[in-house]
């Protein structure tokens, strides 16, 4: 459907700052139309009459179309977000395709259970009791700008497999792959109204979706601050809410760890996607025995990274997504300097066009500093020493966040002692960052509510109904 709004939002190429497209700034009438279309499709349309195997086939067909248009989608993602086309082609596009394929299989495997209960039946009768999992209804899904295509797949895949209908709002900075995905959804043959895509600002379109009476569930990925606002706004109607929020993830290096492996791993944990990753390894805790060598190595890795436009095959790290994000990250670096931290590597924004920030390593930090406590969401890591497991567990947990962590060691006894002490939804060992469609992902504390992926990710889009039948 055509937008009711005549207002346009410019879409900028982060590598140059130039406008490459414009999108509709949706208004309240657009939100009402999208929700009404989703409600009609859920309750009365062809989607409501489909058996699970038909949903599975449609989702799989969408994954095939992503594969067919992989190069185009990788290029769009690079232009829109700033990440390298090479990385988008290796990580983002296959990740979205694989997620849809995995979730497609769940459409035919959602099940309830039979229950033996103690309630007595009338004389000569019996009781049958069982549970059903039913789709929750119309889902509003609000996704961030760091992995636009992957995040759309993470949200749409399980909702569609469960039988829900969706209103998807991409970030206003990065709408292009979501809009192209919408075209592929139509090409795949999904009935009208099953997936509706609205572009616009979070404070208008997002807020209208969160409070809309026709929306049954909100699924949000983004900052903890906005997640709290959404959770509060949804309480009046008791909408179901799932939130995947911020992180300040520790990378813990024990004294027996292999230096070369740790240096490569720690650098990758923070500089992948220019640090614009909720699970980025942004706090580096290294045993005193290895500290100087690890920090020196990660600093050298930072200095070797080639910055440039994402479409340049020689680029290793692209720009940040926007001028606003560049200024935010540089503000944190300046805050660290002013509080007495030392810049080991990087710390500057190149003067040429584009929203670039040098990969940055900061040492001589204290736990109370903003660069240690707050999510920077850029290529900035802070490093601290520790002496024993109890100390590093305390340091690792000393933030409001609890999304993820990694431990680097071959001492399995130490690893098994440390894993339960770290308050995080995912703990990786001798790696940082792998996420799989079959492995639950989400956070402790202020890093979110609920889990995505796997069986639990599907169940987030269902309601559990108990049935008790006297026969």
């Amino acid at each position: 459907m055509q937008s009711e709004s005549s207002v346009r939002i410019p879409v900028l190429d982060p590598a140059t700052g130039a406008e490459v497209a414009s999108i509709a700034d949706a208004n309240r009438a657009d939100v009402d139309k999208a929700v009404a279309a989703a409600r009609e499709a859920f309750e009365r349309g062809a989607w409501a009459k489909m058996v699970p195997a038909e949903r599975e086939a449609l989702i799989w067909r969408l994954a095939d179309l992503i594969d067919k248009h992989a190069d185009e989608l990788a290029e769009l993602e690079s232009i829109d977000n700033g990440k390298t086309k090479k990385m988008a082609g290796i990580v983002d596009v296959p990740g979205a395709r694989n997620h849809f394929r995995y979730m497609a299989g769940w459409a035919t495997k959602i099940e309830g259970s039979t229950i033996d209960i103690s309630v007595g039946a009338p004389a000569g009768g019996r009781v049958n009791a069982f549970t059903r999992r039913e789709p929750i209804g119309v889902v509003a899904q609000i996704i961030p700008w760091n992995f636009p295509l992957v995040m759309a797949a993470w949200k749409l895949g399980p909702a569609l497999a469960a039988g829900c209908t969706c209103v998807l709002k991409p970030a206003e900075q990065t709408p292009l792959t979501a809009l192209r995905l919408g075209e592929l959804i139509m090409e795949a043959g999904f009935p009208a109204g099953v997936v509706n895509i609205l572009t616009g600002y979070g404070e208008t379109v997002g807020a209208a979706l969160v409070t809309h009476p026709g929306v049954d569930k909100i699924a949000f990925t983004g900052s903890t601050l906005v997640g709290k606002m959404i959770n509060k706004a949804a309480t009046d109607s008791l909408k179901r809410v799932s939130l995947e929020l911020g992180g300040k993830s520790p990378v813990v290096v024990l004294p027996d760890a292999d230096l070369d492996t740790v240096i490569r791993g720690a650098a990758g944990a923070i500089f992948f996607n220019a640090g614009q990753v909720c699970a980025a390894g942004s706090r580096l805790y290294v045993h005193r025995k290895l500290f100087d060598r690890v920090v020196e190595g990660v600093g050298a890795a930072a200095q070797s990274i080639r910055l440039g436009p994402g479409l340049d095959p020689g680029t290793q790290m692209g720009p940040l997504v926007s001028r606003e994000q560049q200024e935010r990250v540089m503000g944190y670096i300046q805050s660290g300097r002013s509080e007495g931290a030392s810049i080991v590597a990087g710390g500057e924004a190149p003067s040429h066009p584009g929203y670039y920030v040098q990969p940055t390593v900061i040492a001589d930090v204290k736990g109370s500093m903003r660069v240690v406590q707050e999510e920077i969401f850029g290529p900035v890591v802070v490093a601290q020493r520790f002496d024993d497991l109890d100390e590093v567990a305390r340091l690792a947990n000393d933030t409001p966040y609890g999304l993820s962590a990694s431990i680097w060691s071959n001492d399995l006894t130490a690893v098994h002692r440390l894993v339960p002490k770290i308050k995080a939804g995912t703990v990786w060992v001798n790696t940082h960052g792998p996420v799989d469609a079959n492995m639950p992902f989400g956070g402790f504390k202020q890093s979110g509510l609920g889990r995505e992926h796997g069986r639990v990710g599907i169940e987030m889009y269902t309601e559990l109904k108990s049935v008790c039948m006297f026969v």
Side-chain angles (χ1 to χ4, degrees):
M1 282 184 275
Q2 189 70 28
S3 173
E4 296 284 339
S5 172
S6 61
V7 180
R8 307 293 292 181
I9 299 173
V11 179
L12 306 181
D13 178 354
T16 63
E19 182 174 339
V20 294
S22 68
I23 56 170
D25 182 11
N27 58 25
R28 185 76 196 209
D30 291 318
V31 173
D32 288 341
K33 284 169 60 177
V35 173
R39 178 61 61 189
E40 177 69 19
F42 178 72
E43 293 185 350
R44 288 172 289 277
W47 184 251
K49 301 178 179 67
M50 282 188 180
V51 297
E54 292 174 306
R55 295 201 305 272
E56 177 182 33
L58 282 175
I59 300 168
W60 193 272
R61 195 176 306 155
L62 175 59
D64 287 344
L65 287 170
I66 291 173
D67 231 5
K68 179 180 176 182
H69 297 277
D71 189 72
E72 173 195 356
L73 289 166
E75 186 167 328
L76 274 177
E77 202 76 324
S78 178
I79 293 169
D80 211 12
N81 167 272
K83 67 181 65 189
T84 67
K85 180 183 176 182
K86 180 179 180 181
M87 188 191 87
I90 294 171
V91 176
D92 298 60
V93 178
R97 175 203 65 205
N98 293 343
H99 201 82
F100 277 121
R101 284 182 178 163
Y102 171 84
M103 288 299 172
W106 270 108
T108 55
K109 299 166 187 67
I110 299 169
E111 57 189 27
S113 58
T114 58
I115 306 169
D116 289 331
I117 64 174
S118 299
V119 174
R126 60 190 177 87
V127 177
N128 286 343
F130 57 94
T131 62
R132 292 172 46 86
R133 283 205 172 269
E134 300 178 354
I136 207 165
V138 175
V139 183
Q141 300 173 311
I142 303 171
I143 59 174
W145 44 254
N146 58 336
F147 291 94
L149 184 61
V150 170
M151 291 293 106
W154 281 23
K155 292 292 185 285
L156 292 173
L160 296 174
C164 298
T165 56
C166 305
V167 181
L168 179 74
K169 195 204 89 65
E172 62 270 17
Q173 300 91 338
T174 55
L176 299 184
T177 49
L179 292 172
R180 184 68 179 108
L181 183 65
E183 293 177 338
L184 298 181
I185 287 168
M186 290 190 291
E187 185 177 341
F190 282 81
V194 173
V195 177
N196 308 270
I197 300 174
L198 290 174
T199 57
Y201 294 106
E203 57 266 31
T204 52
V205 180
L209 286 170
V210 169
T211 57
H212 200 288
V215 170
D216 300 302
K217 173 183 166 65
I218 303 292
F220 172 77
T221 295
S223 73
T224 294
L225 176 62
V226 175
K228 289 179 178 179
M229 294 167 61
I230 288 172
N231 199 35
K232 186 178 294 185
T235 56
D236 284 345
S237 58
L238 287 182
K239 283 181 173 60
R240 304 304 186 248
V241 176
S242 56
L243 305 171
E244 199 269 278
L245 306 178
K248 191 71 176 176
S249 300
V251 174
V252 178
V253 181
L254 300 187
D256 72 296
D258 176 75
L259 270 176
D260 290 340
T261 302
V262 163
I263 289 167
R264 285 194 305 271
I270 185 59
F271 301 135
F272 171 65
N273 205 44
Q276 297 172 126
V277 183
C278 56
S282 53
R283 292 183 294 145
L284 178 58
Y285 295 108
V286 187
H287 190 273
R288 189 174 300 276
K289 171 184 168 184
L290 301 180
F291 182 85
D292 290 339
R293 286 176 287 172
V294 169
V295 170
E296 179 183 355
V298 175
Q303 291 170 332
S304 72
I305 293 173
R306 179 183 172 187
L307 300 180
L311 296 181
D312 182 341
T315 293
Q316 295 173 304
M317 181 186 293
L320 301 189
V321 73
S322 65
R323 176 74 67 194
E324 178 186 11
Q325 189 63 16
Q326 181 194 44
E327 291 174 353
R328 170 186 167 88
V329 172
M330 290 307 301
Y332 274 108
I333 293 171
Q334 183 53 42
S335 170
R337 280 194 179 102
S338 66
E339 291 185 272
S342 302
I343 307 298
V344 175
E348 302 295 337
S351 58
H352 54 72
Y355 311 133
Y356 298 92
V357 172
Q358 293 175 344
T360 300
V361 180
I362 302 178
D364 301 319
V365 296
K366 298 177 181 177
S368 59
M369 292 180 176
R370 290 181 62 217
V371 290
V372 177
Q373 286 294 316
E374 299 178 20
E375 184 177 39
I376 298 173
F377 223 66
V380 181
V381 62
V382 296
Q384 290 179 264
R385 298 171 177 83
F386 72 89
D387 291 301
D388 58 51
L389 293 184
D390 287 338
E391 180 188 12
V392 76
R394 178 182 59 78
L395 292 170
N397 293 331
D398 187 25
T399 75
Y401 301 105
L403 185 58
S404 61
S406 62
I407 302 169
W408 299 77
S409 172
N410 294 310
D411 182 344
L412 288 181
T413 298
V415 168
H416 280 293
R417 287 177 178 170
L418 189 54
V419 165
K421 294 176 183 288
I422 293 178
K423 305 303 180 186
T426 300
V427 179
W428 295 288
V429 179
N430 294 326
T431 186
H432 190 105
V435 176
D436 187 85
N438 198 32
M439 184 173 72
F441 183 78
F444 287 21
K445 300 191 287 186
Q446 294 188 32
S447 285
L449 296 173
R451 295 291 185 272
E452 298 192 282
H453 310 336
R455 180 188 293 272
V456 292
I458 287 284
E459 290 178 351
M460 284 204 310
Y461 289 94
T462 68
E463 290 279 22
L464 185 64
K465 177 180 288 183
S466 294
V467 181
C468 182
M469 186 181 302
F470 283 20
V471 293

